[in-house]
Amino acid sequence: MFRALGNLASRRPWFVIAAWVVVAVGVVAFAPALQTTQEESEFLPDHYESVKATELQSTEFPGATTPAAILVFERADGAALTEDDQAEVGRIAEELGPRLGKETFVPQVVTITPDGQPQLAEDGLAQLGVIGLAEGATGFDPQAFEDGEALREDLADLTDGTDLEVQSTGSVLQGLDSQDSSERSLAIVGIATIVLIVGLLAIIFRSVIICLMPVVIVTLVSMIATGLIGWANEAFDLKADSSIETILVVVLYGIGTDYILFFLFRYRERLRQGADTRAAVVHALERAGEAIASAGGAVIVAFLALLLSSLGIFQAIGPALAIAVAVTLVAALTLVPAVVTVLGRALFWPSKKWRREPEAARFAQAGRSLGRRPGVFAAASGLLMAVLALFALQFSPSFDFSASLPEDVESTQALETFQDHFSAGASEPVPVIVRADEGGTLEESALESYAAALGEAEGVDQVYPPQLSEDGSTAQISLVLAEDPASDAAMKDVEGPIRDVAHSEAPEGTEAYVGGTPSVFADLQDAMARDYSVVFPVAALVIMVILALLLRSLVAPWYLMAAVGLGFAATLGATVIVFQHIGGDEGLIFMLPIYIYLFVTALGTDYNILMIARLREEAREGRSPRDAAAEAVKHAGPTIAAAGVILAGTFASLMLSGNSLMMSMGFALSFGILVAAFVMSMFFTPALTALIGHAAWWPGHGDEKRPGHGSDAEDSTASVPGTSEPGTSEPGAEVSAGR
């Protein structure tokens, strides 16, 4: 199969290149834009209590959902608001309403509480204006963000010439600031990723064309992948969070560059043996194609396991990343060989050192040491990962996407100002929706007693009077919590005492649902616990099957996956140390363990395959398990080092985004890749294989010496990913040789 692809790409390179360009133009012209959301409740299935509460609230009390915007008014000189200032706030609110976009915002700014009192801080230094959503509006669509921009412009005009200053926050404004932040992050991460890849390739190859080739190819691939993802999201109503575009950039450039490296090193090796360009392309794809396909297959399978998640965010992210990797994989097997064929030996210009085989002295020395003392290397590398893994038990999940916003955006500053003057829970009262059984109506006396009971619940600061729906069948009781609604403390209060009281004290013949942000967070926590128990084992099982088929062994997949699991736990533990213990964060975004698990499992498995495949090849040459491990580290080590450094570097670029979610994810994924490359695959896996010996290959015994093995350079490579001709250095040897 891979030889056939090589023949196609080398004989008709311009046809292959033209086909990719035509597809890219078509996708860009007709594919829908990639839409994202930050509304956490959209990620949950309908059977969760918070979702039921939101649906009832939007139906029976339109405009009373999470505030679209919160306006915080202060005097410019910091003094207390006078009666004239309060009147000015009323004027601004009255004039602002009609100026707002009617498709999104309710044409009214509320400056009084449900019980008719001005929304003035106890210290008299600030006053609030609250804006709800129009019926049917989500607050997280492009129209909402356009209206949010118009709102801020109108506020600037209306406060001009007064003694007042105003800051705006709330769901729409936080979404707007998050969108702007994501766009800046995307630009920063994209530039940093490209600069990093170009710099590393320049060090490895000393070629101008090779430095630019991944940038051009991956840019073309990203256009197609993004369009296909947009179609998939539209067809299956998938909802991804706003971080997906930034993650896609890193995944496409990082993994795409790795696959290009796998091919280029094979291509160069064949050229050194005297083959012409076309023959070298066919040979390189025949030998590297299986490595690339197995690497991509493991990553795609891991991402598709997210379809088993109960959360819409993962159901969207999984296919999105799988599509991106699949397009990258196809490009590596078709477009890359075609481009290399067209460029020929000019690909390496201006360097001429590619003709000489470098020596991997450092890796050879490390390999000899491991071969002599595999037990020491296995114990040391395993102990290092185990110690870090202990800290994974202290992982504290955070479910607040708005907490990842930079500190310098207006919505964050407005929220800080709000919390300086008002009760922490006043920014978003938690609704309790009470609905009478079918055909029934609610009695006001029973509702008042119910509201009093809710007011006694732990964590509740204040209870607003019940609001009845038009038909009298549904009521809303708003609770002001003692804690910030986005905090872990508020979530614990809601999932514990508040829900307990809401359910047990509900009037007879009714059913109660607790909604709001902390209720969403509580349900997200339950959903994540379920997903961990399903997604993790399924992804591990499928990858184990792939390993068993590739290695033709029932033993090796078990300890390889155990090593990957240990690498995952060590990565999560290191992230907890850096961000929770050293950085002082209360928690890390809840989706982080899933991302770490999938990337470290999939990519760590790829590096394990490269190492153990080379080890088996050396064993087939007649070497003992320890000598085979030593040679495998010498030859496969540089490959893994080059791939690991580039991929870890691309993930590390996420830390430049200024977004706390992206920073923690960038650190975790880059650290995980480094652990997978330089601890797990480089030392732990070959050391364990050397200790287990021939039993590692049961029942296939693929490590046994075969008659005539190695006698022909063309036939001497084992038919598993990552192998190479005896005596040649694996891809990336230049990293250690300095060429």
Side-chain angles (χ1 to χ4, degrees):
M1 172 184 174
F2 299 110
R3 174 175 282 273
L5 286 175
N7 285 327
L8 172 65
S10 63
R11 292 175 182 174
R12 300 179 182 273
W14 288 110
F15 172 81
V16 173
I17 295 171
W20 274 92
V21 172
V22 169
V23 170
V25 171
V27 169
V28 171
F30 298 105
L34 184 59
Q35 299 292 337
T36 62
T37 182
Q38 286 186 292
E39 178 56 61
E40 290 94 338
S41 63
E42 293 186 9
F43 302 147
L44 285 166
D46 293 340
H47 66 271
Y48 282 99
E49 179 174 347
S50 61
V51 178
K52 292 179 180 179
T54 300
E55 291 174 348
L56 279 173
Q57 188 184 37
S58 61
T59 301
E60 302 295 340
F61 305 96
T65 55
T66 300
I70 298 175
L71 311 180
V72 185
F73 292 90
E74 295 179 292
R75 281 186 60 89
D77 58 9
L81 293 170
T82 65
E83 290 185 2
D84 289 341
D85 293 329
Q86 295 177 42
E88 194 71 20
V89 169
R91 178 193 66 80
I92 293 172
E94 186 177 343
E95 293 184 19
L96 182 63
R99 297 173 67 162
L100 298 177
K102 293 183 179 180
E103 294 184 11
T104 299
F105 291 105
V106 172
Q108 182 182 11
V109 182
V110 180
T111 58
I112 59 174
T113 63
D115 55 4
Q117 299 299 315
Q119 300 201 74
L120 190 67
E122 290 185 5
D123 58 14
L125 297 176
Q127 186 172 351
L128 292 184
V130 179
I131 304 173
L133 287 173
E135 185 175 358
T138 65
F140 291 91
D141 53 38
Q143 181 61 51
F145 294 155
E146 289 180 12
D147 288 350
E149 292 178 340
L151 167 66
R152 285 177 170 168
E153 292 174 1
D154 289 343
L155 282 171
D157 291 340
L158 290 170
T159 55
D160 187 30
T162 71
D163 295 328
L164 298 174
E165 290 181 343
V166 62
Q167 294 174 309
S168 58
T169 185
S171 60
V172 170
L173 282 311
Q174 288 174 336
L176 172 62
D177 288 339
S178 178
Q179 177 180 266
D180 293 341
S181 175
S182 295
E183 290 174 354
R184 290 195 301 270
S185 297
L186 184 62
I188 292 171
V189 170
I191 293 171
T193 299
I194 291 173
V195 170
L196 177 68
I197 289 175
V198 169
L200 290 174
L201 290 177
I203 294 173
I204 294 173
F205 286 99
R206 308 290 176 84
S207 165
V208 174
I209 296 178
I210 289 180
C211 288
L212 298 177
M213 188 175 72
V215 177
V216 175
I217 290 177
V218 174
T219 299
L220 184 67
V221 167
S222 67
M223 294 178 183
I224 298 174
T226 303
L228 295 179
I229 293 168
W231 269 319
N233 287 355
E234 189 176 76
F236 299 102
D237 192 27
L238 300 175
K239 298 178 177 67
D241 82 293
S242 59
S243 66
I244 186 63
E245 292 179 294
T246 305
I247 295 172
L248 277 175
V249 169
V250 175
V251 168
L252 286 166
Y253 278 98
I255 294 179
T257 302
D258 266 9
Y259 294 169
I260 291 172
L261 279 180
F262 291 163
F263 175 83
L264 287 181
F265 278 114
R266 285 291 191 176
Y267 170 71
R268 186 179 61 181
E269 287 172 6
R270 197 57 174 172
L271 287 180
R272 285 171 176 164
Q273 296 172 1
D276 62 20
T277 295
R278 290 188 176 180
V281 166
V282 174
H283 175 85
L285 195 58
E286 183 180 17
R287 297 302 173 89
E290 193 173 2
I292 295 169
S294 64
V299 177
I300 291 170
V301 165
F303 289 149
L304 288 179
L306 288 176
L307 287 172
L308 300 174
S309 170
S310 62
L311 297 177
I313 182 175
F314 291 131
Q315 292 173 359
I317 288 175
L321 294 177
I323 289 171
V325 174
V327 176
T328 304
L329 174 61
V330 175
L333 297 175
T334 56
L335 180 60
V336 173
V339 171
V340 170
T341 300
V342 170
L343 294 173
R345 300 194 179 195
L347 177 70
F348 301 101
W349 182 86
S351 175
K352 298 182 186 289
K353 293 183 178 181
W354 63 270
R355 295 187 177 93
R356 298 201 306 270
E357 184 75 32
E359 297 179 1
R362 296 177 184 174
F363 289 96
Q365 182 179 357
R368 287 193 297 270
S369 298
L370 184 144
R372 288 194 298 268
R373 294 181 294 275
V376 172
F377 276 79
S381 54
L383 182 62
L384 173 62
M385 291 189 289
V387 169
L388 291 175
L390 292 175
F391 289 90
L393 300 174
Q394 300 175 15
F395 170 73
S396 176
S398 171
F399 299 89
D400 184 16
F401 284 92
S402 64
S404 64
L405 283 171
E407 295 182 358
D408 60 347
V409 298
E410 182 176 340
S411 59
T412 301
Q413 294 174 343
L415 189 58
E416 291 175 354
T417 302
F418 171 88
Q419 292 175 345
D420 287 341
H421 300 291
F422 295 90
S423 170
S427 63
E428 185 187 336
V430 171
V432 177
I433 310 298
V434 188
R435 187 176 182 84
D437 294 341
E438 189 171 351
T441 58
L442 299 172
E443 297 181 3
E444 290 190 17
S445 60
L447 288 176
E448 290 175 0
S449 298
Y450 182 53
L454 289 172
E456 297 298 322
E458 183 181 347
V460 177
D461 245 6
Q462 183 182 358
V463 180
Y464 291 139
Q467 295 174 275
L468 272 171
S469 62
E470 291 184 3
D471 62 3
S473 66
T474 309
Q476 173 180 263
I477 302 174
S478 297
L479 312 179
V480 176
L481 303 186
E483 304 288 347
D484 181 353
S487 67
D488 290 338
M491 180 187 70
K492 292 176 182 177
D493 287 340
V494 166
E495 71 177 344
I498 294 176
R499 277 187 174 177
D500 290 343
V501 171
H503 298 158
S504 63
E505 300 295 329
E508 187 176 351
T510 67
E511 191 167 4
Y513 305 96
V514 181
T517 296
S519 184
V520 171
F521 290 172
D523 290 340
L524 278 173
Q525 183 170 253
D526 292 342
M528 283 303 303
R530 177 264 178 198
D531 287 353
Y532 288 153
S533 65
V534 174
V535 175
F536 282 16
V538 168
L541 179 62
V542 175
I543 292 176
M544 281 185 66
V545 170
I546 293 175
L547 285 172
L549 294 174
L550 286 171
L551 302 175
R552 298 163 182 84
S553 166
L554 296 179
V555 175
W558 285 98
Y559 68 82
L560 290 178
M561 285 307 300
V564 169
L566 189 58
F568 156 76
T571 300
L572 183 57
T575 309
V576 167
I577 292 172
V578 170
F579 287 91
Q580 290 185 202
H581 293 295
I582 299 176
D585 291 351
E586 292 183 2
L588 295 165
I589 195 69
F590 70 95
M591 66 182 76
L592 189 62
I594 288 272
Y595 275 124
I596 294 174
Y597 181 79
L598 295 176
F599 277 102
V600 173
T601 297
L603 299 173
T605 298
D606 294 341
Y607 297 152
N608 272 339
I609 288 174
L610 289 173
M611 179 59 73
I612 202 168
R614 182 68 196 217
L615 193 152
R616 182 170 71 170
E617 179 186 345
E618 297 299 335
R620 284 176 173 175
E621 295 293 330
R623 294 182 174 88
S624 68
R626 295 192 176 199
D627 290 340
E631 287 297 307
V633 171
K634 174 184 176 181
H635 295 296
T639 307
I640 296 169
V645 167
I646 287 179
L647 194 56
T650 56
F651 281 127
S653 66
L654 291 172
M655 298 178 69
L656 301 175
S657 65
N659 180 305
S660 62
L661 164 61
M662 291 289 101
M663 289 178 67
S664 61
M665 190 175 296
F667 172 83
L669 297 182
S670 60
F671 186 87
I673 296 301
L674 292 176
V675 167
F678 291 94
V679 179
M680 180 181 65
S681 301
M682 194 82 70
F683 299 116
F684 191 61
T685 294
L688 282 181
T689 306
L691 289 172
I692 296 172
H694 297 293
W697 307 101
W698 185 87
H701 300 295
D703 65 324
E704 295 178 352
K705 185 177 181 180
R706 299 180 180 182
H709 185 76
S711 60
D712 188 336
E714 188 68 28
D715 299 326
S716 61
T717 304
S719 59
V720 291
T723 59
S724 64
E725 294 79 24
T728 64
S729 177
E730 281 289 330
E734 289 80 351
V735 171
S736 62
R739 301 193 184 102

